[in-house]
Amino acid sequence: MPTFETIKFELTDGLAVISFNRPELLNALNSQLKAEFLKALRMLNQPHSAARALLITGEGRGFCAGADLAEGATDAVDMGASLTDTYHPFLTELANLNIPVVSAVNGVAAGAGMSIAISADIVLASRSAIFLQAFVNIGLVPDAGSTFILPRLIGLNRARAMMMLGEKVTADKALEWGMVYDVVDDDKLMETAKAMAQKLANGPTVALNGIRTLMAQSLKNDYQQQLAAEAVVQRGAGRTADCIEGVTAFIQKRPANFKGI
Ligand code: LHQ
């Protein structure tokens, strides 16, 4: 297991937990953190990884404040290149994971930090969490996938306003808008998020990955294309040992014991 400094990485009972670990700067993304995050995600994407779910959170009072502005992020000659070279690799690795991803948003999620938070399959927020499309406040456009994901979650109207006004949105409002799945009291966040992620880690991994695939395709397909995609993915899920186990457990009136195969 490599040694990480700017993230914490654990893998127990099929559940991988990545915590951004620069709490004094609200887990702002410097070069080292981006590289370590990418490395951890690549480990999870290895064919024989034991991970069956991923939980992402932040140490301290923030989830992630986006690009580390003190690292010279804004002095970059070409910020487009900064995105393609240092952000897109980890975002792509995250999107390509074949296990479900939960984010536990424990505090402020700003700029690219918000993009990471909302790219999870299930976003859980603490009551004091804050969501901020901070980019416009420093003269930038939203990036790291925000312009793709946010309008799909909350609609163009609210997404545009968040992006243009650069105002903080509370967890309760994010819930009302459909940006997050649920909001829980601060002291219950990690317990709730870990239980949820562990449930996914104990689940039928092939089917869960199939849901990820189908949800991604749903964003671009028409109805007939999506019906066809469901048939393809279902063919794979229907051939798993977990499907046999799920049906057998139902008939035998006992909980299913999924193995992820
Ligand atoms: C920070 C940061 C931070 C460094 C708080 N960096 N230190 C950008 C550029 C290039 C190409 C690719 O794309 C991107 C993507 C982006 O993500 S752009 C957006 C970057 N993020 C921001 O603009 C957010 C800046 N931060 C804030 O607006 C506030 O800090 C928030 C609203 C996040 C939190 O406010 P507070 O709760 O009042 O905390 P604070 O401001 O006091 O921050 C605590 C410390 O963290 C403080 O340091 P200090 O030494 O004074 O205790 C901040 O300077 C530091 N910090 N964000 N992004």
Side-chain angles (χ1 to χ4, degrees):
M1 175 80 74
T3 312
F4 295 115
E5 290 173 350
T6 57
I7 64 167
K8 289 185 179 176
F9 180 88
E10 281 170 28
L11 175 46
T12 315
D13 295 335
L15 175 59
V17 181
I18 295 178
S19 305
F20 299 131
N21 190 25
R22 302 183 74 215
E24 63 294 346
L25 297 176
L26 304 177
N27 302 316
L29 303 162
N30 66 354
S31 307
Q32 187 181 354
L33 193 154
K34 287 180 280 183
E36 290 186 355
F37 189 33
L38 175 62
K39 191 169 190 173
L41 293 171
R42 281 189 174 148
M43 281 166 50
L44 298 178
N45 251 339
Q46 294 295 313
H48 299 296
S49 163
R52 290 171 60 191
L54 169 64
L55 173 62
I56 303 175
T57 191
E59 295 294 313
R61 72 175 179 91
F63 176 80
C64 175
D68 185 339
L69 300 177
E71 201 188 35
T74 52
D75 302 334
V77 180
D78 182 346
M79 286 201 201
S82 154
L83 283 172
T84 53
D85 294 350
T86 72
Y87 285 79
H88 296 182
F90 75 72
L91 292 166
T92 303
E93 204 69 33
L94 190 56
N96 288 344
L97 284 179
N98 52 19
I99 55 174
V101 181
V102 175
S103 61
V105 187
N106 54 302
V108 69
M114 176 172 164
S115 307
I116 295 169
I118 62 173
S119 71
D121 297 305
I122 303 180
V123 186
L124 198 62
S126 67
R127 201 155 308 278
S128 67
I130 292 285
F131 295 84
L132 176 61
Q133 287 284 293
F135 311 89
V136 74
N137 298 337
I138 55 168
L140 290 177
V141 299
D143 62 28
S146 264
T147 63
F148 183 85
I149 300 165
L150 194 56
R152 286 169 167 80
L153 293 179
I154 64 174
L156 282 172
N157 198 30
R158 285 163 170 160
R160 247 190 318 248
M162 271 194 86
M163 291 173 185
M164 290 185 172
L165 297 172
E167 290 173 352
K168 293 175 180 169
V169 167
T170 63
D172 284 330
K173 185 148 275 188
L175 180 63
E176 184 193 322
W177 287 356
M179 198 198 300
V180 305
Y181 175 66
D182 207 357
V183 174
V184 295
D185 288 343
D186 292 14
D187 60 351
K188 293 279 180 292
L189 178 72
M190 284 316 291
E191 169 190 331
T192 311
K194 279 194 170 163
M196 181 187 280
Q198 190 66 56
K199 177 181 173 163
L200 295 170
N202 297 345
T205 310
V206 174
L208 290 166
N209 185 38
I211 294 169
R212 269 173 76 78
T213 304
L214 287 169
M215 288 299 98
Q217 293 184 3
S218 170
L219 303 173
K220 58 180 170 47
N221 279 350
D222 66 25
Y223 186 56
Q224 289 304 322
Q225 289 169 323
Q226 193 64 15
L227 288 178
E230 286 175 359
V232 169
V233 176
Q234 197 70 295
R235 186 173 300 129
R239 286 179 174 149
T240 59
D242 278 345
C243 178
I244 295 170
E245 164 63 9
V247 175
T248 308
F250 175 78
I251 303 286
Q252 295 177 349
K253 299 191 186 302
R254 62 168 174 81
N257 179 14
F258 294 119
K259 298 280 196 323
I261 50 174

